[in-house]
Amino acid sequence: MEIIRYADIHPEPWRNGGGVTRELASHPKAASAQDGAWDWRVSIADVSKAGDFSVFPGMERVITIIEGELLLLTVDGSEHPLEKYRPFRFSGEAASGATLPTGNIRDLNVIAREGAFKGYTSIVEISKKRAHPVFEGQLAVLLEGKATVAPGAAVEEESDGDAPAPSAAEPVELSRYDAVVGSDTRSPEISGRGFIAVISIDHVEAHA
């Protein structure tokens, strides 16, 4: 079970110097966060002043406000009011910038190379009664509230007819903005009270 701890991530300056970003995950991992060699990236950015966003040629972006109330995003001259927990998709090549009518905001960014990957963001309310699984190709980020994560049940063969089944692992507490990496072998399950962002990165099949 892999957990990416937000507190351990060092902030990096934007390409254009207009803010800072903390990268939760990218592919391939060897690619630099600064040279754009990755095919997809998930990050959290702090926006504390109006200005232009960095341009990502050949990429598609999904931005979600996760702290603060409103971001006025301008994309190729068209203004889009973005409210908290409402994902918005736009081209990474577009000339884009933002103003902050209600003060500083923090946003979750999913950027994927067009024609190779497609990124999706869903906001999910979690429950103590029903754990939310995180599957292969997904990343779940705790946005607010209290939550724990535990490995899902695994189907294991018993070597002995009366051998006891292995006990479940103890739940691990998550802090705000920690990310859980999905798996299909023993999908992590998140439970608690609050909201998570579930990011899915789908591989796009090339067509001849």
Side-chain angles (χ1 to χ4, degrees), residues 67-127:
E67 189 173 327
E69 296 305 319
L70 182 67
L71 176 77
L72 285 181
L73 177 68
T74 301
V75 180
D76 282 342
S78 298
E79 192 173 70
H80 304 271
L82 306 187
E83 297 178 337
K84 188 177 180 181
Y85 292 172
R86 294 185 180 273
F88 179 78
R89 184 183 302 274
F90 64 104
S91 171
E93 295 186 9
S96 57
T99 58
L100 306 168
T102 58
N104 297 355
I105 64 99
R106 178 170 280 162
D107 59 50
L108 174 67
N109 287 278
V110 180
I111 307 177
R113 190 172 303 282
E114 290 186 294
F117 293 91
K118 191 83 172 178
Y120 301 90
T121 301
S122 300
I123 307 301
V124 177
E125 185 173 7
I126 54 174
S127 166

Short mmCIF file of all heavy atoms in Angstrom, two decimals, residues 67-127:
data_model
loop_
_atom_site.label_atom_id
_atom_site.label_comp_id
_atom_site.label_asym_id
_atom_site.label_seq_id
_atom_site.Cartn_x
_atom_site.Cartn_y
_atom_site.Cartn_z
N GLU A 67 -9.11 24.61 -2.26
CA GLU A 67 -9.11 25.48 -1.08
C GLU A 67 -9.30 26.90 -1.56
O GLU A 67 -8.66 27.34 -2.53
CB GLU A 67 -7.79 25.34 -0.32
CG GLU A 67 -7.79 26.04 1.03
CD GLU A 67 -6.53 25.75 1.84
OE1 GLU A 67 -5.98 24.64 1.72
OE2 GLU A 67 -6.12 26.64 2.60
N GLY A 68 -10.19 27.63 -0.89
CA GLY A 68 -10.61 28.94 -1.39
C GLY A 68 -11.95 28.79 -2.09
O GLY A 68 -12.46 27.68 -2.28
N GLU A 69 -12.52 29.91 -2.50
CA GLU A 69 -13.89 29.87 -3.02
C GLU A 69 -14.01 30.02 -4.53
O GLU A 69 -14.83 29.36 -5.15
CB GLU A 69 -14.72 30.98 -2.34
CG GLU A 69 -14.87 30.79 -0.84
CD GLU A 69 -15.46 29.43 -0.47
OE1 GLU A 69 -16.39 28.98 -1.16
OE2 GLU A 69 -14.95 28.82 0.49
N LEU A 70 -13.17 30.86 -5.14
CA LEU A 70 -13.41 31.18 -6.54
C LEU A 70 -12.11 31.57 -7.24
O LEU A 70 -11.28 32.30 -6.69
CB LEU A 70 -14.41 32.34 -6.64
CG LEU A 70 -14.82 32.78 -8.05
CD1 LEU A 70 -15.61 31.70 -8.75
CD2 LEU A 70 -15.66 34.07 -7.97
N LEU A 71 -11.96 31.08 -8.46
CA LEU A 71 -10.87 31.46 -9.34
C LEU A 71 -11.49 31.87 -10.67
O LEU A 71 -12.28 31.11 -11.25
CB LEU A 71 -9.91 30.29 -9.55
CG LEU A 71 -8.76 30.51 -10.54
CD1 LEU A 71 -7.67 31.37 -9.90
CD2 LEU A 71 -8.16 29.18 -10.99
N LEU A 72 -11.16 33.06 -11.15
CA LEU A 72 -11.62 33.48 -12.47
C LEU A 72 -10.52 33.15 -13.47
O LEU A 72 -9.48 33.80 -13.51
CB LEU A 72 -11.93 34.98 -12.48
CG LEU A 72 -13.22 35.42 -11.78
CD1 LEU A 72 -13.40 36.92 -11.91
CD2 LEU A 72 -14.43 34.70 -12.38
N LEU A 73 -10.77 32.09 -14.24
CA LEU A 73 -9.78 31.60 -15.20
C LEU A 73 -10.13 32.10 -16.59
O LEU A 73 -11.26 31.92 -17.06
CB LEU A 73 -9.76 30.06 -15.17
CG LEU A 73 -8.82 29.38 -16.17
CD1 LEU A 73 -7.36 29.66 -15.80
CD2 LEU A 73 -9.07 27.88 -16.18
N THR A 74 -9.16 32.71 -17.25
CA THR A 74 -9.33 33.15 -18.63
C THR A 74 -8.54 32.22 -19.54
O THR A 74 -7.33 32.03 -19.35
CB THR A 74 -8.85 34.60 -18.82
OG1 THR A 74 -9.59 35.46 -17.94
CG2 THR A 74 -9.07 35.07 -20.25
N VAL A 75 -9.24 31.62 -20.51
CA VAL A 75 -8.61 30.68 -21.45
C VAL A 75 -8.86 31.20 -22.86
O VAL A 75 -10.00 31.28 -23.31
CB VAL A 75 -9.19 29.26 -21.30
CG1 VAL A 75 -8.51 28.31 -22.28
CG2 VAL A 75 -9.01 28.75 -19.88
N ASP A 76 -7.78 31.58 -23.55
CA ASP A 76 -7.87 32.13 -24.91
C ASP A 76 -8.93 33.24 -25.00
O ASP A 76 -9.73 33.28 -25.94
CB ASP A 76 -8.17 31.02 -25.92
CG ASP A 76 -6.93 30.19 -26.26
OD1 ASP A 76 -5.81 30.68 -25.99
OD2 ASP A 76 -7.09 29.07 -26.77
N GLY A 77 -8.94 34.11 -23.99
CA GLY A 77 -9.83 35.27 -24.01
C GLY A 77 -11.20 35.06 -23.42
O GLY A 77 -11.94 36.03 -23.21
N SER A 78 -11.58 33.81 -23.12
CA SER A 78 -12.89 33.53 -22.52
C SER A 78 -12.74 33.31 -21.02
O SER A 78 -11.86 32.58 -20.57
CB SER A 78 -13.52 32.28 -23.14
OG SER A 78 -13.76 32.45 -24.53
N GLU A 79 -13.60 33.98 -20.24
CA GLU A 79 -13.52 33.90 -18.78
C GLU A 79 -14.41 32.79 -18.24
O GLU A 79 -15.56 32.64 -18.64
CB GLU A 79 -13.92 35.24 -18.17
CG GLU A 79 -13.57 35.35 -16.69
CD GLU A 79 -13.81 36.74 -16.14
OE1 GLU A 79 -15.00 37.12 -16.02
OE2 GLU A 79 -12.84 37.45 -15.85
N HIS A 80 -13.85 32.01 -17.30
CA HIS A 80 -14.58 30.90 -16.69
C HIS A 80 -14.47 31.02 -15.17
O HIS A 80 -13.37 30.90 -14.62
CB HIS A 80 -13.99 29.55 -17.13
CG HIS A 80 -13.94 29.37 -18.62
ND1 HIS A 80 -14.98 28.82 -19.34
CD2 HIS A 80 -12.96 29.69 -19.51
CE1 HIS A 80 -14.65 28.80 -20.61
NE2 HIS A 80 -13.44 29.31 -20.76
N PRO A 81 -15.59 31.24 -14.46
CA PRO A 81 -15.55 31.25 -12.99
C PRO A 81 -15.50 29.82 -12.45
O PRO A 81 -16.42 29.03 -12.68
CB PRO A 81 -16.86 31.96 -12.59
CG PRO A 81 -17.78 31.75 -13.75
CD PRO A 81 -16.93 31.59 -14.98
N LEU A 82 -14.41 29.47 -11.76
CA LEU A 82 -14.25 28.12 -11.24
C LEU A 82 -14.52 28.12 -9.74
O LEU A 82 -13.84 28.79 -8.97
CB LEU A 82 -12.83 27.60 -11.51
CG LEU A 82 -12.33 27.64 -12.95
CD1 LEU A 82 -10.98 26.95 -13.05
CD2 LEU A 82 -13.34 27.01 -13.90
N GLU A 83 -15.52 27.33 -9.34
CA GLU A 83 -15.87 27.22 -7.94
C GLU A 83 -15.22 25.97 -7.33
O GLU A 83 -14.82 25.05 -8.04
CB GLU A 83 -17.40 27.13 -7.78
CG GLU A 83 -18.11 28.38 -8.26
CD GLU A 83 -19.62 28.25 -8.15
OE1 GLU A 83 -20.12 27.11 -8.13
OE2 GLU A 83 -20.31 29.28 -8.08
N LYS A 84 -15.17 25.96 -6.02
CA LYS A 84 -14.54 24.86 -5.29
C LYS A 84 -15.18 23.51 -5.64
O LYS A 84 -16.41 23.40 -5.74
CB LYS A 84 -14.66 25.11 -3.78
CG LYS A 84 -13.89 24.13 -2.90
CD LYS A 84 -14.02 24.53 -1.44
CE LYS A 84 -13.25 23.58 -0.54
NZ LYS A 84 -13.40 23.94 0.90
N TYR A 85 -14.31 22.51 -5.86
CA TYR A 85 -14.70 21.12 -6.11
C TYR A 85 -15.44 20.92 -7.44
O TYR A 85 -16.16 19.93 -7.61
CB TYR A 85 -15.55 20.56 -4.96
CG TYR A 85 -14.80 20.39 -3.66
CD1 TYR A 85 -15.47 20.05 -2.50
CD2 TYR A 85 -13.41 20.56 -3.58
CE1 TYR A 85 -14.79 19.87 -1.28
CE2 TYR A 85 -12.72 20.39 -2.39
CZ TYR A 85 -13.42 20.05 -1.25
OH TYR A 85 -12.74 19.89 -0.06
N ARG A 86 -15.22 21.84 -8.40
CA ARG A 86 -15.83 21.68 -9.73
C ARG A 86 -14.71 21.60 -10.77
O ARG A 86 -14.20 22.62 -11.21
CB ARG A 86 -16.79 22.83 -10.04
CG ARG A 86 -18.02 22.83 -9.13
CD ARG A 86 -19.00 23.92 -9.54
NE ARG A 86 -20.16 23.93 -8.68
CZ ARG A 86 -21.26 23.19 -8.86
NH1 ARG A 86 -21.30 22.36 -9.90
NH2 ARG A 86 -22.28 23.27 -8.04
N PRO A 87 -14.32 20.38 -11.17
CA PRO A 87 -13.22 20.23 -12.13
C PRO A 87 -13.52 20.92 -13.46
O PRO A 87 -14.66 20.94 -13.93
CB PRO A 87 -13.11 18.71 -12.31
CG PRO A 87 -13.76 18.13 -11.08
CD PRO A 87 -14.85 19.08 -10.72
N PHE A 88 -12.46 21.48 -14.06
CA PHE A 88 -12.60 22.18 -15.34
C PHE A 88 -11.47 21.73 -16.26
O PHE A 88 -10.29 21.76 -15.89
CB PHE A 88 -12.54 23.70 -15.13
CG PHE A 88 -12.64 24.50 -16.40
CD1 PHE A 88 -13.86 24.70 -17.01
CD2 PHE A 88 -11.50 25.04 -16.99
CE1 PHE A 88 -13.97 25.44 -18.19
CE2 PHE A 88 -11.59 25.78 -18.17
CZ PHE A 88 -12.84 25.99 -18.77
N ARG A 89 -11.82 21.35 -17.49
CA ARG A 89 -10.86 20.83 -18.46
C ARG A 89 -10.56 21.90 -19.52
O ARG A 89 -11.47 22.55 -20.03
CB ARG A 89 -11.43 19.58 -19.12
CG ARG A 89 -10.49 18.87 -20.10
CD ARG A 89 -11.19 17.69 -20.76
NE ARG A 89 -11.66 16.72 -19.78
CZ ARG A 89 -10.92 15.73 -19.27
NH1 ARG A 89 -9.66 15.60 -19.68
NH2 ARG A 89 -11.42 14.90 -18.39
N PHE A 90 -9.26 22.05 -19.86
CA PHE A 90 -8.90 22.98 -20.93
C PHE A 90 -7.54 22.60 -21.51
O PHE A 90 -6.81 21.77 -20.95
CB PHE A 90 -8.88 24.43 -20.43
CG PHE A 90 -7.85 24.74 -19.37
CD1 PHE A 90 -6.69 25.45 -19.69
CD2 PHE A 90 -8.03 24.35 -18.05
CE1 PHE A 90 -5.75 25.75 -18.72
CE2 PHE A 90 -7.09 24.64 -17.08
CZ PHE A 90 -5.94 25.35 -17.41
N SER A 91 -7.22 23.19 -22.67
CA SER A 91 -5.99 22.85 -23.36
C SER A 91 -4.78 23.46 -22.66
O SER A 91 -4.79 24.65 -22.29
CB SER A 91 -6.05 23.36 -24.80
OG SER A 91 -4.79 23.24 -25.43
N GLY A 92 -3.73 22.66 -22.50
CA GLY A 92 -2.50 23.16 -21.91
C GLY A 92 -1.77 24.14 -22.81
O GLY A 92 -0.91 24.90 -22.35
N GLU A 93 -2.11 24.13 -24.10
CA GLU A 93 -1.49 25.04 -25.05
C GLU A 93 -2.12 26.42 -25.03
O GLU A 93 -1.54 27.38 -25.53
CB GLU A 93 -1.59 24.48 -26.47
CG GLU A 93 -0.83 23.19 -26.69
CD GLU A 93 -0.84 22.76 -28.15
OE1 GLU A 93 -1.30 23.55 -28.99
OE2 GLU A 93 -0.39 21.63 -28.43
N ALA A 94 -3.32 26.52 -24.45
CA ALA A 94 -4.06 27.78 -24.47
C ALA A 94 -3.36 28.84 -23.62
O ALA A 94 -2.73 28.53 -22.60
CB ALA A 94 -5.48 27.56 -23.97
N ALA A 95 -3.49 30.08 -24.05
CA ALA A 95 -3.04 31.20 -23.22
C ALA A 95 -4.04 31.33 -22.07
O ALA A 95 -5.23 31.55 -22.31
CB ALA A 95 -2.98 32.47 -24.04
N SER A 96 -3.58 31.15 -20.84
CA SER A 96 -4.50 31.15 -19.70
C SER A 96 -3.91 31.94 -18.54
O SER A 96 -2.70 32.00 -18.36
CB SER A 96 -4.82 29.71 -19.25
OG SER A 96 -3.64 29.02 -18.93
N GLY A 97 -4.80 32.54 -17.78
CA GLY A 97 -4.40 33.30 -16.60
C GLY A 97 -5.55 33.37 -15.63
O GLY A 97 -6.67 32.94 -15.94
N ALA A 98 -5.30 33.91 -14.44
CA ALA A 98 -6.32 33.88 -13.40
C ALA A 98 -6.30 35.15 -12.56
O ALA A 98 -5.26 35.78 -12.40
CB ALA A 98 -6.13 32.67 -12.50
N THR A 99 -7.47 35.49 -12.03
CA THR A 99 -7.59 36.50 -11.00
C THR A 99 -8.26 35.86 -9.80
O THR A 99 -8.92 34.81 -9.91
CB THR A 99 -8.42 37.71 -11.48
OG1 THR A 99 -9.72 37.26 -11.89
CG2 THR A 99 -7.74 38.40 -12.66
N LEU A 100 -8.10 36.50 -8.63
CA LEU A 100 -8.54 35.91 -7.36
C LEU A 100 -9.52 36.86 -6.66
O LEU A 100 -9.15 37.57 -5.73
CB LEU A 100 -7.32 35.65 -6.47
CG LEU A 100 -6.19 34.82 -7.10
CD1 LEU A 100 -4.95 34.89 -6.23
CD2 LEU A 100 -6.64 33.38 -7.28
N PRO A 101 -10.79 36.85 -7.06
CA PRO A 101 -11.75 37.79 -6.48
C PRO A 101 -12.05 37.56 -5.01
O PRO A 101 -12.50 38.49 -4.32
CB PRO A 101 -13.01 37.58 -7.34
CG PRO A 101 -12.87 36.22 -7.93
CD PRO A 101 -11.40 36.02 -8.12
N THR A 102 -11.81 36.34 -4.50
CA THR A 102 -12.12 36.06 -3.10
C THR A 102 -10.86 35.71 -2.28
O THR A 102 -10.97 35.19 -1.18
CB THR A 102 -13.13 34.90 -2.98
OG1 THR A 102 -12.58 33.73 -3.62
CG2 THR A 102 -14.45 35.26 -3.67
N GLY A 103 -9.69 35.99 -2.84
CA GLY A 103 -8.46 35.71 -2.10
C GLY A 103 -7.72 34.50 -2.62
O GLY A 103 -8.09 33.90 -3.65
N ASN A 104 -6.67 34.12 -1.90
CA ASN A 104 -5.79 33.02 -2.32
C ASN A 104 -6.57 31.71 -2.51
O ASN A 104 -7.55 31.46 -1.79
CB ASN A 104 -4.69 32.78 -1.28
CG ASN A 104 -3.78 33.98 -1.13
OD1 ASN A 104 -3.90 34.96 -1.86
ND2 ASN A 104 -2.86 33.90 -0.19
N ILE A 105 -6.10 30.89 -3.44
CA ILE A 105 -6.70 29.57 -3.63
C ILE A 105 -5.60 28.52 -3.75
O ILE A 105 -4.42 28.84 -3.96
CB ILE A 105 -7.63 29.53 -4.87
CG1 ILE A 105 -6.84 29.76 -6.17
CG2 ILE A 105 -8.78 30.51 -4.75
CD1 ILE A 105 -6.51 28.51 -6.91
N ARG A 106 -6.00 27.30 -3.60
CA ARG A 106 -5.12 26.15 -3.86
C ARG A 106 -5.87 25.25 -4.84
O ARG A 106 -7.07 25.04 -4.71
CB ARG A 106 -4.83 25.41 -2.56
CG ARG A 106 -3.95 24.17 -2.70
CD ARG A 106 -3.52 23.67 -1.32
NE ARG A 106 -2.41 24.46 -0.79
CZ ARG A 106 -2.07 24.49 0.48
NH1 ARG A 106 -2.76 23.82 1.38
NH2 ARG A 106 -1.03 25.21 0.88
N ASP A 107 -5.15 24.76 -5.86
CA ASP A 107 -5.84 23.94 -6.85
C ASP A 107 -5.10 22.64 -7.10
O ASP A 107 -3.90 22.51 -6.90
CB ASP A 107 -6.07 24.70 -8.16
CG ASP A 107 -4.79 25.19 -8.82
OD1 ASP A 107 -3.85 24.40 -8.98
OD2 ASP A 107 -4.73 26.38 -9.20
N LEU A 108 -5.89 21.65 -7.55
CA LEU A 108 -5.39 20.33 -7.92
C LEU A 108 -5.32 20.28 -9.43
O LEU A 108 -6.30 20.57 -10.12
CB LEU A 108 -6.33 19.25 -7.39
CG LEU A 108 -6.04 17.81 -7.80
CD1 LEU A 108 -4.74 17.31 -7.19
CD2 LEU A 108 -7.20 16.90 -7.39
N ASN A 109 -4.14 19.94 -9.96
CA ASN A 109 -3.93 19.91 -11.40
C ASN A 109 -3.64 18.51 -11.89
O ASN A 109 -2.80 17.81 -11.32
CB ASN A 109 -2.74 20.80 -11.77
CG ASN A 109 -3.06 22.28 -11.67
OD1 ASN A 109 -3.63 22.86 -12.56
ND2 ASN A 109 -2.67 22.88 -10.55
N VAL A 110 -4.34 18.11 -12.95
CA VAL A 110 -4.04 16.87 -13.66
C VAL A 110 -3.70 17.26 -15.10
O VAL A 110 -4.54 17.84 -15.80
CB VAL A 110 -5.24 15.90 -13.63
CG1 VAL A 110 -4.90 14.62 -14.37
CG2 VAL A 110 -5.65 15.60 -12.19
N ILE A 111 -2.48 16.97 -15.51
CA ILE A 111 -2.02 17.34 -16.86
C ILE A 111 -1.58 16.07 -17.57
O ILE A 111 -0.78 15.30 -17.03
CB ILE A 111 -0.86 18.34 -16.79
CG1 ILE A 111 -1.23 19.56 -15.93
CG2 ILE A 111 -0.44 18.79 -18.19
CD1 ILE A 111 -0.10 20.58 -15.76
N ALA A 112 -2.11 15.83 -18.77
CA ALA A 112 -1.81 14.60 -19.50
C ALA A 112 -1.52 14.91 -20.97
O ALA A 112 -2.12 15.82 -21.55
CB ALA A 112 -2.97 13.61 -19.38
N ARG A 113 -0.61 14.13 -21.54
CA ARG A 113 -0.24 14.32 -22.94
C ARG A 113 -1.37 13.85 -23.85
O ARG A 113 -1.80 12.70 -23.79
CB ARG A 113 1.05 13.56 -23.25
CG ARG A 113 1.64 13.90 -24.62
CD ARG A 113 3.01 13.27 -24.82
NE ARG A 113 3.97 13.66 -23.79
CZ ARG A 113 4.61 14.83 -23.75
NH1 ARG A 113 4.37 15.74 -24.69
NH2 ARG A 113 5.46 15.10 -22.79
N GLU A 114 -1.84 14.77 -24.70
CA GLU A 114 -2.93 14.44 -25.62
C GLU A 114 -2.53 13.34 -26.59
O GLU A 114 -1.41 13.31 -27.07
CB GLU A 114 -3.35 15.70 -26.39
CG GLU A 114 -4.05 16.73 -25.54
CD GLU A 114 -4.59 17.90 -26.36
OE1 GLU A 114 -3.77 18.65 -26.93
OE2 GLU A 114 -5.82 18.04 -26.42
N GLY A 115 -3.45 12.41 -26.83
CA GLY A 115 -3.19 11.31 -27.73
C GLY A 115 -2.53 10.11 -27.08
O GLY A 115 -2.45 9.05 -27.68
N ALA A 116 -2.06 10.29 -25.84
CA ALA A 116 -1.41 9.19 -25.12
C ALA A 116 -2.15 8.84 -23.84
O ALA A 116 -2.33 7.66 -23.52
CB ALA A 116 0.05 9.55 -24.81
N PHE A 117 -2.56 9.86 -23.07
CA PHE A 117 -3.26 9.65 -21.80
C PHE A 117 -4.41 10.63 -21.68
O PHE A 117 -4.42 11.70 -22.29
CB PHE A 117 -2.30 9.83 -20.61
CG PHE A 117 -1.23 8.80 -20.52
CD1 PHE A 117 0.01 8.99 -21.13
CD2 PHE A 117 -1.44 7.61 -19.84
CE1 PHE A 117 1.00 8.04 -21.06
CE2 PHE A 117 -0.44 6.64 -19.77
CZ PHE A 117 0.78 6.87 -20.39
N LYS A 118 -5.39 10.26 -20.86
CA LYS A 118 -6.53 11.13 -20.56
C LYS A 118 -6.72 11.14 -19.05
O LYS A 118 -6.81 10.09 -18.41
CB LYS A 118 -7.79 10.59 -21.24
CG LYS A 118 -8.98 11.53 -21.21
CD LYS A 118 -8.91 12.54 -22.34
CE LYS A 118 -10.19 13.36 -22.45
NZ LYS A 118 -10.09 14.37 -23.53
N GLY A 119 -6.74 12.34 -18.47
CA GLY A 119 -6.89 12.47 -17.03
C GLY A 119 -8.31 12.88 -16.64
O GLY A 119 -8.95 13.66 -17.35
N TYR A 120 -8.78 12.33 -15.52
CA TYR A 120 -10.12 12.66 -15.00
C TYR A 120 -10.02 12.93 -13.51
O TYR A 120 -9.24 12.28 -12.81
CB TYR A 120 -11.09 11.50 -15.24
CG TYR A 120 -11.27 11.11 -16.68
CD1 TYR A 120 -10.45 10.15 -17.26
CD2 TYR A 120 -12.27 11.68 -17.46
CE1 TYR A 120 -10.60 9.78 -18.59
CE2 TYR A 120 -12.44 11.31 -18.79
CZ TYR A 120 -11.60 10.37 -19.35
OH TYR A 120 -11.75 10.00 -20.66
N THR A 121 -10.84 13.86 -13.03
CA THR A 121 -10.90 14.14 -11.59
C THR A 121 -12.35 14.07 -11.13
O THR A 121 -13.22 14.71 -11.74
CB THR A 121 -10.34 15.54 -11.28
OG1 THR A 121 -8.98 15.62 -11.71
CG2 THR A 121 -10.39 15.82 -9.78
N SER A 122 -12.61 13.30 -10.08
CA SER A 122 -13.94 13.22 -9.48
C SER A 122 -13.83 13.54 -7.99
O SER A 122 -12.89 13.09 -7.33
CB SER A 122 -14.54 11.82 -9.65
OG SER A 122 -14.66 11.47 -11.02
N ILE A 123 -14.77 14.31 -7.48
CA ILE A 123 -14.82 14.63 -6.05
C ILE A 123 -15.84 13.69 -5.39
O ILE A 123 -16.99 13.61 -5.83
CB ILE A 123 -15.22 16.09 -5.81
CG1 ILE A 123 -14.30 17.03 -6.59
CG2 ILE A 123 -15.17 16.41 -4.32
CD1 ILE A 123 -12.83 16.91 -6.27
N VAL A 124 -15.39 12.97 -4.37
CA VAL A 124 -16.21 11.93 -3.75
C VAL A 124 -16.31 12.18 -2.24
O VAL A 124 -15.29 12.44 -1.59
CB VAL A 124 -15.61 10.53 -4.00
CG1 VAL A 124 -16.42 9.46 -3.29
CG2 VAL A 124 -15.50 10.25 -5.50
N GLU A 125 -17.53 12.13 -1.72
CA GLU A 125 -17.71 12.20 -0.26
C GLU A 125 -17.53 10.80 0.31
O GLU A 125 -18.15 9.85 -0.15
CB GLU A 125 -19.10 12.74 0.08
CG GLU A 125 -19.29 12.94 1.58
CD GLU A 125 -20.59 13.64 1.93
OE1 GLU A 125 -21.42 13.87 1.02
OE2 GLU A 125 -20.78 13.97 3.12
N ILE A 126 -16.67 10.68 1.31
CA ILE A 126 -16.39 9.37 1.89
C ILE A 126 -17.25 9.13 3.12
O ILE A 126 -17.80 10.05 3.71
CB ILE A 126 -14.89 9.21 2.24
CG1 ILE A 126 -14.41 10.36 3.14
CG2 ILE A 126 -14.06 9.14 0.97
CD1 ILE A 126 -12.99 10.18 3.63
N SER A 127 -17.34 7.86 3.49
CA SER A 127 -18.20 7.44 4.59
C SER A 127 -17.44 6.48 5.50
O SER A 127 -16.54 5.77 5.06
CB SER A 127 -19.44 6.76 4.03
OG SER A 127 -20.14 6.05 5.02
#
